[in-house]
Amino acid sequence: MKFTFSAFATTAIVGLTAGAASAQDVSCGGIGAAGQWMGGAAEASDITTSEGPLTLEALPVTQGGNTVGYFSISETTEVRVEAQPVDGGDSVIELYDEAGTLILTDDDSGGAWASRAETTLQPGSYCLATRGYADGALTTDMRVGRLEHEDITQGLSGGFFGGGDPYFVGVDACTSDTQATLLGTGPIDGQLTDDGVTAINTISETPYYRFTLANPQAISVRAENPSADPYIYFFDGDGTLMAENDDYESLNSRIDFTTPLPAGTYCIGMRALSNPDVPVTLSVVGYDAAAALAELYDTGEAAPPLDGSYPVIDLGVLPGRSVRDAQVSGRQATWYAFEVPEQGALVVNAVEVTDSDPLLILYDDLGQEVAYNDDHGGTLNSQITARVQAGRYILAVRQYSDNYQGIIRIATERYIPAP
């Protein structure tokens, strides 16, 4: 059966339709719905040619929602993207290209709970999305500019471990003169199988690690303890920052080098976005493409293919309303696939029955993330509301952490616009 909006819901769907119409120039794979141009119009939002930075001020971000600004690049340009919360709040930014591919994300690199990142972008259109940490509500200023433009965030001063001039990456560059704890004994090439090379220390006591490769190797670097919320930075032997990551999975961090790194010496720097005095497990393992992909599917970080190679429960055409219970063990996602027969809105609730902290992630059939939620309405339960087109979708249901092994009740409601 079909569910038609009430008068209240009709107003909501009209708003959705209007938002979609305003976003038709830039969709970013659906992320850009209901966004706005950073410069007020498309022709005024090219940051390559803009005389100054482009800023959207005092934007409300609802609980569980986000706000999106569009900008364009006409020539390859180094840019800075920022979100500065107004009157409190903790922002998280995500930058997407026009196809909806996530380019970067940042939580606190702007300092004082603000978000900031710098990168080089190729010509095209982009979406800068800002949401509240843990899906909280906030009001924020958003800005995009070239590196010479004035910023709105303070950045991180001198790294986490001392004074000095502002330095964006959050820790001082690890050079040959930096004191660092050695990983392994000699070159670690032969130690990369299974659990690899591992060390457990607090970040306050051990902010840097150094290791050597005798031969080119594809590796994965991981830092784990959500209580610390570790942020990792990877440097070459000259102190050049090669990669960084925060919150790859939950509050843990990970960097994958899928192309073998040249033989040489490397350094890992870390800071804690939460508690620097709890032990963090730092490991360097050999990168296994098949295992890495399976792990992404297992944790819901990426959608599996619908070719039968990975277990997905097919629900067929989604009815107007459905309810089911599922035993969900830790961070191992349970996957559902379903058809939405026509354009409308989809609401999914995940409610604790026993021993659960539910988490939901919705993808389209191309594997592009449509919606995500952990905690909703001041509870540990989750809810996502998404505007959807007719087509096939994939839903991951999992626990926030391995500490939860209980039953989750999953309810879906599908709405169509009132005539």
Side-chain angles (χ1 to χ4, degrees):
M1 83 181 164
K2 297 181 180 179
F3 278 68
T4 302
F5 284 109
S6 65
F8 175 82
T10 302
T11 301
I13 200 67
V14 168
L16 292 178
T17 304
S22 67
Q24 54 187 276
D25 289 338
V26 182
S27 68
C28 295
I31 299 298
Q36 57 185 304
W37 286 101
M38 298 286 294
E43 58 272 17
S45 299
D46 182 353
I47 198 61
T48 304
T49 59
S50 176
E51 292 185 3
L54 305 177
T55 306
L56 295 175
E57 297 183 337
L59 296 171
V61 181
T62 59
Q63 182 172 331
N66 61 22
T67 186
V68 179
Y70 318 135
F71 66 94
S72 62
I73 300 290
S74 55
E75 297 179 5
T76 301
T77 305
E78 289 185 283
V79 301
R80 178 190 303 114
V81 290
E82 304 171 90
Q84 176 64 64
V86 178
D87 298 327
D90 184 354
S91 62
V92 177
I93 58 172
E94 297 170 344
L95 181 63
Y96 295 87
D97 67 14
E98 196 165 1
T101 302
L102 179 65
I103 297 172
L104 60 82
T105 182
D106 181 75
D107 181 8
D108 296 328
S109 291
W113 312 116
S115 305
R116 171 172 172 154
E118 297 170 5
T119 190
T120 300
L121 297 178
Q122 303 299 316
S125 297
Y126 296 87
C127 292
L128 175 61
T130 300
R131 58 181 173 85
Y133 177 75
D135 287 328
L138 77 156
T139 300
T140 185
D141 295 339
M142 285 176 24
R143 174 171 290 187
V144 58
R146 299 193 301 274
L147 301 191
E148 66 266 25
H149 287 158
E150 182 180 4
D151 52 15
I152 56 171
T153 59
Q154 67 185 43
L156 297 160
S157 298
F160 202 77
F161 311 101
D165 296 328
Y167 187 55
F168 168 68
V169 298
V171 295
D172 294 330
C174 183
T175 68
S176 58
D177 296 328
T178 302
Q179 183 177 355
T181 298
L182 291 176
L183 284 173
T185 54
I188 65 170
D189 302 60
Q191 306 166 56
L192 294 175
T193 57
D194 299 326
D195 294 332
V197 183
T198 300
I200 303 176
N201 294 290
T202 66
I203 292 178
S204 58
E205 293 177 339
T206 311
Y208 294 99
Y209 294 89
R210 182 175 285 114
F211 67 91
T212 300
L213 297 175
N215 300 286
Q217 300 284 350
I219 64 169
S220 178
V221 181
R222 309 177 187 187
E224 300 176 305
N225 187 339
S227 296
D229 193 358
Y231 200 132
I232 54 176
Y233 304 85
F234 193 88
F235 301 91
D236 67 13
D238 297 323
T240 301
L241 181 67
M242 299 181 66
E244 60 184 290
N245 181 255
D246 172 38
D247 297 350
Y248 177 92
E249 194 282 313
S250 180
L251 297 180
N252 297 322
S253 297
R254 172 171 167 173
I255 298 172
D256 290 329
F257 290 97
T258 59
T259 300
L261 293 171
T265 298
Y266 297 91
C267 183
I268 302 163
M270 293 197 294
R271 64 183 174 103
L273 297 182
S274 186
N275 187 350
D277 297 316
V278 295
V280 172
T281 301
L282 187 282
S283 58
V284 180
V285 301
Y287 176 76
D288 182 325
L293 196 57
E295 185 176 345
L296 290 175
Y297 300 157
D298 289 346
T299 58
E301 298 293 327
L306 297 176
D307 58 4
S309 62
Y310 191 90
V312 177
I313 301 169
D314 194 337
L315 303 179
V317 176
L318 197 67
R321 186 174 187 271
S322 69
V323 179
R324 59 183 42 80
D325 290 346
Q327 179 84 42
V328 181
S329 299
R331 294 179 295 173
Q332 175 73 45
T334 298
W335 287 94
Y336 299 93
F338 54 84
E339 292 281 346
V340 172
E342 54 198 321
Q343 177 187 3
L346 177 67
V347 179
V348 183
N349 284 281
V351 179
E352 175 193 20
V353 177
T354 62
D355 185 30
S356 290
D357 181 356
L359 187 151
L360 294 170
I361 314 172
L362 180 67
Y363 295 89
D364 65 17
D365 61 347
L366 295 179
Q368 299 177 116
E369 184 178 312
V370 176
Y372 169 100
N373 183 254
D374 176 16
D375 297 332
H376 174 77
T379 72
L380 297 182
N381 297 324
S382 298
Q383 181 187 88
I384 56 177
T385 301
R387 182 189 300 107
V388 293
Q389 304 295 323
R392 195 158 176 78
Y393 292 85
I394 316 169
L395 178 70
V397 182
R398 47 159 280 201
Q399 306 282 6
Y400 175 75
S401 74
D402 288 328
N403 295 328
Y404 299 93
Q405 301 286 322
I407 296 173
I408 297 174
R409 179 158 295 159
I410 306 149
T412 65
E413 294 178 279
R414 185 169 59 81
Y415 298 91
I416 61 172

